Structure formats: structure tokens, C-alpha cells
């Protein structure tokens, strides 16, 4: 049976089939050669770990890795940073295949929308490239805030709204031309303008939200699709699980999309780019010892400069 909180119905309020997502991630976790497609999760996981770890004097006695997958954050943390880590994922096979970490870990199968933990449990919650598949993101943020201790911190990374915009636009134009309409083949993503508001509504303060882009070049659209089959299905379990997804694309439509992709976005050397937009976020749970937030627009560092991340994380401290 699916974990608690899994969505069973379709509709605007539940755009993702969580049961299908669980099956996809379970299947992906047991495929051979996962490292071939891990580079994106590795890069983002390392950045999220750096935000909570290196250069910091604070130690977190108990941390939660939400949507941990094969442990992309845990492998970059040390015992000096986190004393014990609870790894949570919707897919049990992902938890069975996590990479070894020097930190003592406990695995729990659970849904991000319904966490089975008591209020004020964790000193740190991290999440990397998992929350974009959640049906009720406001609820997920409230759950994270609830399980954090006062003065605890949430550090997250998720795909942004411009992710794979080249591919989406090419497919849509080709389908409109060849089939008279189009359906989504890439998951819908949250806009950055909504993220701070959602975190604030969930109760977080001293917020920092930043964006980054990772661009990967491919010989053409078919190579993009092949890599996404591996990255999004074989390894990451990230194939489209929208209720209104279309099961297949006609060959003529794919050929047209490949031509459009090359014409609109092609590089001078004949390759085509695929852009992954990443939102990074930090939010604190209120505690009396925290200083008041700085004025809006006064930030002087970003997630792009991880050498200064300690300043970001201590901004709310006296």
C-alpha cells in the first residue's frame, strides 16, 4: 500500500500521481549504473550539504533528509556537522540502496506531504530535488516547519519553473503544428516568485531564496530525451507522473521537435543546450534568541558563492 499522504485522485489540486511516482522511484533505485546519470543530483546535493555543513561551528544533533533518494546529501556531510541523520523517501528501494555515510543514519519510508514525526524534533531539515513532485507544497512546508525545533533551519533545493524550457517549447510547438494541440511531457514547476511567500506562510523567517542554472549540452533532442530517460527514470525516478501526461509522441512530431530545438536554441557547434533551473532556499523556525531580519534587498551574498554560506546561515543569530 502507498505511504500515508499519497494522492489517489486527479485534478488541479493534485497534479501528480504519487502512487505512480513511488513505483517509478522504486524501479529507478534498482537499475544498473545509476552513477551514469547521478551528476545533477550529486552537484545539487553537494551544494545543499555545503550550505549546512563546511565552515560552520554549529553541530546539528539530529537532522532530517527529506526525499533523500540514494543519499545525495548525506555523502557530503560529516560527523562534525550532523551527529545523526534520518533519511526519508517515498520509495523503499531508494532507501535500501543509499550510499554509505560516516554519519549514523536511520531510514524511514514516508511521504513528504505527511511526515510521521513529532513537533519540534529536528535541528536541521534538508531536501534536494524532491519537493517539485509534491502535490501540496504549502502543506509540505508546514510539515517541515512543524517538525523543526525552534531555531532550527530548513535548507532545500528544488527544480525551478524554467527547467528544460528549451525542450518543453520545442515539443509544444511541434505538437501544435503536427497534431493541433499539446499536452505536458515535462512536470510543471513552482515559480520563484511564489516560493518565498509559501515559506513565509508556513512560518519560516529570515528567508533566503536564490536561483542557479545548470546547462548541459547534447548533440540533439534525441540525446536529450535519452539522457532524461536515464536521469529521470533509470536513476532519479523523475519521469513525468502528471495525471494529464501523454503516453507517447509520434515519430513525425519528434522529428519536427528536433528541428525546432536545433533552429531555436542550437549552439554554433551544432549541439543543443538543456537548462536545469535550481531554487535554493533557507528558512529558520523562530526563536527568541534570533535577531530581527535585515531589511529587504540588503543581502550581500548568494548560494552561488558557497564560500560565504556561513554568513547566510548565521544572519539570524546574535
Amino acid at each position: 500500500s502507498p505511504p500515508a499522504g499519497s494522492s489517489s485522485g486527479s485534478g488541479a489540486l493534485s497534479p501528480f500521481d504519487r502512487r505512480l511516482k513511488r513505483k517509478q522511484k522504486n524501479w529507478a533505485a534498482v537499475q544498473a549504473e545509476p552513477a551514469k546519470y547521478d551528476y545533477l543530483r550529486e552537484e545539487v546535493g553537494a551544494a545543499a550539504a555545503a550550505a549546512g555543513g563546511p565552515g560552520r561551528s554549529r553541530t546539528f544533533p539530529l537532522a532530517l533528509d527529506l526525499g533523500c533518494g540514494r543519499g545525495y546529501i548525506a555523502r557530503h556531510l560529516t560527523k562534525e556537522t550532523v551527529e545523526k541523520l534520518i533519511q526519508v523517501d517515498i520509495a523503499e528501494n531508494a532507501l535500501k540502496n543509499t550510499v554509505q555515510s560516516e554519519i549514523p543514519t536511520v531510514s524511514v519510508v514516508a511521504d513528504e506531504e505527511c511526515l510521521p514525526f513529532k513537533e519540534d524534533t529536528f535541528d536541521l531539515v534538508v531536501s534536494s530535488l524532491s519537493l517539485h513532485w509534491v502535490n501540496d507544497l504549502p502543506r509540505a512546508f508546514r510539515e517541515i516547519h512543524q517538525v523543526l525545533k525552534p531555531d532550527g533551519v530548513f535548507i532545500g533545493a528544488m527544480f525551478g519553473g524554467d527547467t528544460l524550457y528549451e525542450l518543453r517549447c520545442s515539443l509544444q510547438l511541434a505538437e501544435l503544428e503536427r497534431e493541433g494541440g499539446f499536452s505536458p511531457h515535462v512536470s510543471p514547476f513552482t515559480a520563484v516568485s511564489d516560493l518565498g511567500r509559501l515559506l513565509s506562510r508556513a512560518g519560516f523567517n529570515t528567508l533566503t531564496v536564490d536561483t542557479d542554472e545548470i546547462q548541459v549540452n547534447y548533440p540533439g533532442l534525441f540525446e536529450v530525451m535519452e539522457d532524461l530517460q536515464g536521469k529521470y527514470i533509470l536513476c532519479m525516478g523523475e519521469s513525468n507522473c502528471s495525471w494529464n501526461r501523454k503516453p507517447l509522441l509520434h515519430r513525425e512530431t519528434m522529428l519536427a521537435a528536433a528541428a525546432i530545438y536545433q533552429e531555436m536554441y542550437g549552439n554554433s557547434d551544432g549541439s543543443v543546450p538543456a537548462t536545469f533551473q535550481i531554487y535554493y532556499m533557507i528558512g529558520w523556525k523562530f526563536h527568541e534568541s534570533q535577531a530581527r531580519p535585515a531589511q529587504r534587498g540588503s543581502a550581500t551574498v548568494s548560494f552561488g558563492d558557497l564560500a560565504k554560506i556561513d554568513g547566510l546561515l548565521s544572519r539570524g543569530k546574535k
Side-chain angles (χ1 to χ4, degrees):
S1 62
S6 295
S7 302
S8 58
S10 60
L13 295 180
S14 297
F16 304 123
D17 184 344
R18 295 290 288 177
R19 288 187 174 91
L20 176 59
K21 172 50 53 186
R22 183 190 181 199
K23 290 180 180 179
Q24 290 169 345
K25 294 188 73 175
N26 268 323
W27 182 77
V30 297
Q31 299 307 302
E33 297 186 289
K36 179 180 178 182
Y37 304 101
D38 268 2
Y39 59 88
L40 195 62
R41 278 194 176 274
E42 281 283 3
E43 183 169 342
V44 176
R56 303 211 66 235
S57 57
R58 180 175 176 180
T59 298
F60 299 99
L62 184 61
L64 170 67
D65 184 355
L66 192 56
C68 64
R70 296 178 60 248
Y72 301 95
I73 294 180
R75 71 186 70 178
H76 298 287
L77 296 174
T78 66
K79 291 184 290 186
E80 289 73 31
T81 302
V82 173
E83 294 179 354
K84 185 176 182 180
L85 181 67
I86 307 298
Q87 293 180 300
V88 167
D89 202 277
I90 195 175
E92 57 271 24
N93 285 346
L95 294 170
K96 292 176 183 176
N97 289 276
T98 54
V99 177
Q100 287 289 330
S101 168
E102 67 176 65
I103 304 170
T105 61
V106 175
S107 297
V108 177
V109 178
D111 195 294
E112 293 94 335
E113 295 181 4
C114 191
L115 298 180
F117 305 109
K118 294 181 180 179
E119 188 173 357
D120 302 339
T121 297
F122 298 98
D123 305 278
L124 168 70
V125 175
V126 294
S127 180
S128 181
L129 301 185
S130 171
L131 292 174
H132 58 284
W133 282 125
V134 169
N135 276 312
D136 193 342
L137 191 57
R139 176 179 175 177
F141 283 154
R142 290 195 300 269
E143 293 270 332
I144 293 170
H145 184 269
Q146 181 172 308
V147 301
L148 274 172
K149 294 178 181 178
D151 200 35
V153 61
F154 166 56
I155 300 173
M158 61 187 292
F159 285 119
D162 287 339
T163 294
L164 298 173
Y165 71 88
E166 305 98 338
L167 176 63
R168 284 185 291 171
C169 184
S170 300
L171 290 173
Q172 289 174 5
L173 289 175
E175 281 192 286
L176 283 170
E177 176 188 329
R178 298 294 173 131
E179 303 179 30
F182 67 88
S183 60
H185 297 280
V186 178
S187 168
F189 298 112
T190 302
V192 69
S193 58
D194 296 328
L195 202 53
R197 176 176 53 83
L198 293 176
L199 288 165
S200 181
R201 280 188 175 183
F204 291 100
N205 60 33
T206 320
L207 296 172
T208 301
V209 178
D210 205 354
T211 65
D212 191 18
E213 288 188 354
I214 300 173
Q215 191 175 89
V216 183
N217 292 320
Y218 298 87
L221 176 140
F222 290 100
E223 287 78 12
V224 174
M225 298 289 285
E226 181 182 4
D227 191 48
L228 292 180
Q229 282 290 105
K231 184 183 290 87
Y232 276 61
I233 299 177
L234 295 180
C235 174
M236 295 168 66
E238 298 288 316
S239 61
N240 187 6
C241 65
S242 300
W243 286 102
N244 60 344
R245 63 193 178 274
K246 190 175 181 178
L248 57 86
L249 284 164
H250 296 114
R251 177 172 173 77
E252 294 78 10
T253 303
M254 288 291 292
L255 291 172
I260 292 170
Y261 205 139
Q262 184 65 54
E263 181 179 352
M264 292 184 62
Y265 305 107
N267 298 316
S268 58
D269 63 357
S271 64
V272 297
T275 300
F276 298 88
Q277 185 181 45
I278 312 295
Y279 297 156
Y280 292 99
M281 64 202 106
I282 293 179
W284 296 85
K285 187 168 182 177
F286 177 76
H287 188 269
E288 292 292 341
S289 66
Q290 294 173 355
R292 292 183 179 180
Q295 287 187 343
R296 184 177 179 84
S298 63
T300 58
V301 291
S302 73
F303 279 93
D305 188 356
L306 291 178
K308 298 180 181 178
I309 204 67
D310 188 45
L312 273 173
L313 289 176
S314 60
R315 185 179 298 158
K317 306 294 184 182
K318 289 184 178 179

